[in-house]
Amino acid sequence: MVSVNGVLLKPLAALGAVVLLLAGGRAGLDALIDTAPPPDMRIATSTLMLDRDGRLLRAFTVADGRWRLPVDLNAVDPTYVAMLLAYEDCRFESHPGVDALALMRAGWQLLSQGGIRSGGSTLTMQLARLLETRSTRDAGGKLSQIRTALWLERRLDKDAILQAYLTLAPYGGNLEGLRSASLAWFGKEPRRLTPAEAALLVALPQSPETRRPDRLPEAARRARDRVLEHVRLAGVIDADEAAAARAEPVPTARLDAPILAAHLTDRLRRAHPERAVHRLTLDAGLQERLEQLANARSAALGQRVSMAILVADHGRGGILASVGSAGLFETARQGHVDMTRAVRSPGSALKPLIYGLAFEDGRAHPESLIEDRPSAFGAYVPANFDLGFQGTITVRRALQLSLNIPAVKLLDAVGPARLVARMRRAGARPVLPDLSPPGLAVGLGGVGVSLTDLVGIYAAIARSGRPVILRETLDEAGADSGLLGVVGSGADVGAPVLEARAAWYVASILAGAPAPTNSAPGVLAFKTGTSYGNRDAWAIGFDGRHVAGVWVGRPDGAPVPGLAGIDAAAPVLVEVFARLGPTTPLPAAPPGILSSTSAELPPPLRRVQDPRAASRDPSLGGVQAPQIAYPPEGARVELGLGRGRAADLVLRVRDGVPPFTWFVDGAPVVREPFARTARWTPDGPGYVAISVVDARGGAARVSVFLE
């Protein structure tokens, strides 16, 4: 490169040529711009995972491993912008991409002093260099940068140029963009920055590696202070603000990038890699608090024990928190495994659904008496968890104590296949051993389910039996309509999981269950479960708004001595609801609830009958179980309900042993001591479930539509 008295002539010639072109007016600029190939404006940015309020849950690096978070100029501290323009490009708002005055000053410095002391590069030129990644140390590179800057100014407005610069500017290491830098060095979004923080972020892009605060904090401090003095002289801040900012220490360590809901966010990114931004239903603050809770409580249970927590708004279906493990990087706990979706044995956690089906069929009432005594069901001989027996006990108390034998008796009456079908209505995906048909062991944990499955089932109970799709993402309008639901496409989300009265009975029983040691009774409706061999501990509960589930155990399925739902999971569930804020009361009882003591119940409901024992009683003379002769299953019965001249519905039963008690949607409506025909007046049109129970506890059920 030619020089005279040490002054490089090619850069000087390039600067002079540009100044002449600028002086030539629009024709000169057009000539220069027309020779410029358009830059590639496709700026790849990090995939973002945002919570329901737009807060950052997690970001993923771009393909080359750089953190390059997109920047919204409206979400940047105005003081920082003012500092940046005052220090880097004070005529940014008025120049056409190239500052002729700054270029002439730089040229004069080069000619008179042998080097440039104050650069002539505008922010638009710096953006051009970042887009082209071509060296500007030679005349050709500088001229190309200037041409691209002029091209950018012709096609973009000033805000777009500034926003693009703030997305691409380097800040040390693999950090690019103001937002990435603010999170890494200060642990916060750049929406509100102190003058000291803003000044450091202005200084770093000039020489990001030689001013890195984590490696060269003193160099970073000096560069920051130079910016502070410059912007003080420019009137951006006053002397007191500058002095206070100089006293503020620079960060000496780079902070980790946010990584909340790691399992869920990774799954969503892999499912939809084309999306730049994912809006989730999660609450970032709650998610962070529950991750900390899971980590702390797991540490007290053993170095290989993990924990999963799932919280949802059961009214709208949005998942508010999804903690897949006790720590993503906890290798001893296999923290990489998402235990919200792992298939495990639920232990006793399905019992509420069994009882709900019995209530729905009219086979039992919460105050019905049931026997808890040694019983055999063919080759299946269940036992209670404590190996003891309670004798005669109410159904309410049997569920609250989680007794196994009463639950199996009721499951035997309602049918295991029906239990599994209702689980699927709730969106669950039960896994049966060896794809075999469901047996009675299903009721005590002999089926595989996930934490997500159980939360969906309990959400339906909390919603008066109506199923809900648990959703993880928001649509573009921000409503919980869910682009990705956890309910399978084959789930019948329209049919009820339980009738409303049956669901209320279950909820009232669970709300009266013995509370964990860290909770007052009656605050939550909850149930615990412990799988065979102490491998899984569960606690699922709800109030009038939220439903939550906790799983505790080892991801590899190994036993954990002493692990039990009431001790390991239930106290955590109570803490989860404490972090949700004040509990919401459970809904009031629906119409038709039968409030009665055991002795005051209709005779067929006073004691839960054992159909197996009745079928072995020779005094019945081989009488078959009752069957509903009319109306038939699935019928549409015209009663004139919509035209003001409603007729009674005729009910007929064949077989069975009188007296007969008829139920509609789980509530007793007619009792006939001997007649096999009864009449009932409906309240209005719609689907109803009609059941009949005979003297020995035999029952039949149909679902019909009345119009």
Side-chain angles (χ1 to χ4, degrees), residues 306-615:
S306 189
M307 183 178 295
I309 302 172
L310 193 68
V311 180
D313 179 336
H314 58 68
R316 301 182 65 188
I319 293 177
L320 303 180
S322 178
V323 182
S325 72
L328 181 65
F329 304 110
E330 293 279 344
T331 55
R333 306 181 198 280
Q334 295 182 278
H336 63 283
V337 180
D338 184 0
M339 296 307 299
T340 66
R341 299 172 71 86
V343 176
R344 308 296 287 238
S345 166
S348 298
L350 294 176
K351 287 177 181 176
L353 192 53
I354 298 172
Y355 282 75
L357 289 172
F359 297 149
E360 183 179 292
D361 285 354
R363 297 177 183 274
H365 179 275
E367 304 308 323
S368 299
L369 299 176
I370 194 168
E371 298 301 317
D372 178 38
R373 303 182 189 279
S375 302
F377 302 83
Y380 183 49
V381 184
N384 289 322
F385 187 77
D386 61 0
L387 302 180
F389 302 97
Q390 298 289 323
T392 303
I393 191 172
T394 65
V395 165
R396 178 185 301 276
R397 194 62 179 156
L399 177 54
Q400 290 174 344
L401 295 179
S402 195
L403 300 176
N404 288 343
I405 294 172
V408 175
K409 285 183 176 180
L410 292 175
L411 180 59
D412 188 37
V414 301
R418 192 151 162 249
L419 172 65
V420 172
R422 293 303 178 92
M423 293 170 64
R424 289 182 174 134
R425 282 192 187 182
R429 298 170 179 173
V431 178
L432 297 168
D434 301 323
L435 301 179
S436 59
L440 293 177
V442 167
L444 301 184
V447 63
V449 296
S450 68
L451 178 61
T452 302
D453 291 336
L454 288 177
V455 169
I457 291 170
Y458 279 72
I461 297 173
R463 297 182 75 235
S464 301
R466 302 187 308 275
V468 56
I469 297 178
L470 298 182
R471 295 182 171 95
E472 303 160 335
T473 61
L474 298 169
D475 67 6
E476 293 179 358
D480 289 20
S481 63
L483 298 173
L484 285 176
V486 299
V487 171
S489 59
D492 182 5
V493 297
V497 177
L498 285 176
E499 299 295 342
R501 296 181 185 90
W504 187 87
Y505 281 139
V506 170
S508 69
I509 293 172
L510 298 182
T517 55
N518 60 337
S519 173
V523 176
L524 298 176
F526 80 100
K527 180 72 179 72
T528 61
T530 306
S531 68
Y532 177 77
N534 304 97
R535 289 172 168 82
D536 308 276
W538 306 84
I540 321 290
F542 55 88
D543 64 6
R545 179 180 178 185
H546 298 115
V547 58
V550 177
W551 170 88
V552 182
R554 286 182 51 164
D556 61 5
V560 181
L563 187 73
I566 190 63
D567 299 320
V572 178
L573 181 70
V574 172
E575 294 190 61
V576 168
F577 274 91
R579 283 158 174 75
L580 281 167
T583 55
T584 303
L586 294 168
I593 290 297
L594 179 60
S595 298
S596 178
T597 64
S598 302
E600 295 171 341
L601 289 172
L605 285 178
R606 292 174 189 168
R607 183 178 293 273
V608 176
Q609 302 297 321
D610 183 348
R612 289 184 181 232
S615 65

Side-chain angles (χ1 to χ4, degrees), residues 187 197 257 269 277 318 392 455 496 560 700-701:
E197 292 167 346
R269 182 180 68 93
V277 178
T392 303
V455 169
V560 181
R701 181 180 185 274

Side-chain angles (χ1 to χ4, degrees), residues 145-393:
Q145 179 190 21
I146 291 170
R147 285 199 305 262
T148 300
L150 295 171
W151 185 95
L152 290 169
E153 290 276 354
R154 285 289 180 89
R155 287 158 179 82
L156 302 177
D157 61 32
K158 292 291 185 177
D159 283 353
I161 291 171
L162 184 56
Q163 187 163 294
Y165 169 79
L166 294 179
T167 301
L168 285 172
Y171 287 87
N174 64 344
L175 296 175
E176 289 188 359
L178 174 69
R179 192 175 180 190
S180 304
S182 182
L183 289 167
W185 298 124
F186 307 120
K188 65 181 182 179
E189 297 279 0
R191 186 174 289 105
R192 294 181 65 86
L193 299 169
T194 67
E197 292 167 346
L200 180 60
L201 293 176
V202 168
L204 283 177
Q206 293 182 337
S207 185
E209 294 306 320
T210 62
R211 297 174 178 178
R212 279 185 58 169
D214 58 337
R215 294 183 178 177
L216 300 163
E218 185 57 27
R221 185 193 62 77
R222 290 195 300 268
R224 180 201 67 182
D225 291 352
R226 285 194 295 271
V227 173
L228 288 170
E229 179 60 17
H230 186 96
V231 298
R232 181 191 69 80
L233 295 174
V236 177
I237 59 174
D238 59 30
D240 291 339
E241 289 174 315
R246 283 192 295 269
E248 193 172 311
V250 298
T252 57
R254 174 173 162 174
L255 304 175
D256 292 333
I259 184 169
L260 294 173
H263 302 86
L264 172 57
T265 53
D266 186 62
R267 175 162 48 83
L268 291 176
R269 182 180 68 93
R270 286 186 281 108
H272 291 276
E274 77 283 357
R275 291 183 188 164
V277 178
H278 296 251
R279 290 291 302 274
L280 278 62
T281 60
L282 270 58
D283 180 315
L286 177 65
Q287 179 72 30
E288 184 174 18
R289 294 193 297 273
L290 295 189
E291 288 188 10
Q292 294 170 352
L293 174 65
N295 187 272
R297 295 297 173 266
S298 295
L301 295 172
Q303 63 178 355
R304 298 186 181 277
V305 175
S306 189
M307 183 178 295
I309 302 172
L310 193 68
V311 180
D313 179 336
H314 58 68
R316 301 182 65 188
I319 293 177
L320 303 180
S322 178
V323 182
S325 72
L328 181 65
F329 304 110
E330 293 279 344
T331 55
R333 306 181 198 280
Q334 295 182 278
H336 63 283
V337 180
D338 184 0
M339 296 307 299
T340 66
R341 299 172 71 86
V343 176
R344 308 296 287 238
S345 166
S348 298
L350 294 176
K351 287 177 181 176
L353 192 53
I354 298 172
Y355 282 75
L357 289 172
F359 297 149
E360 183 179 292
D361 285 354
R363 297 177 183 274
H365 179 275
E367 304 308 323
S368 299
L369 299 176
I370 194 168
E371 298 301 317
D372 178 38
R373 303 182 189 279
S375 302
F377 302 83
Y380 183 49
V381 184
N384 289 322
F385 187 77
D386 61 0
L387 302 180
F389 302 97
Q390 298 289 323
T392 303
I393 191 172

Side-chain angles (χ1 to χ4, degrees), residues 90-103:
C90 62
R91 284 180 287 275
F92 174 73
E93 297 294 343
S94 60
H95 65 61
V98 177
D99 188 343
L101 293 176
L103 283 177

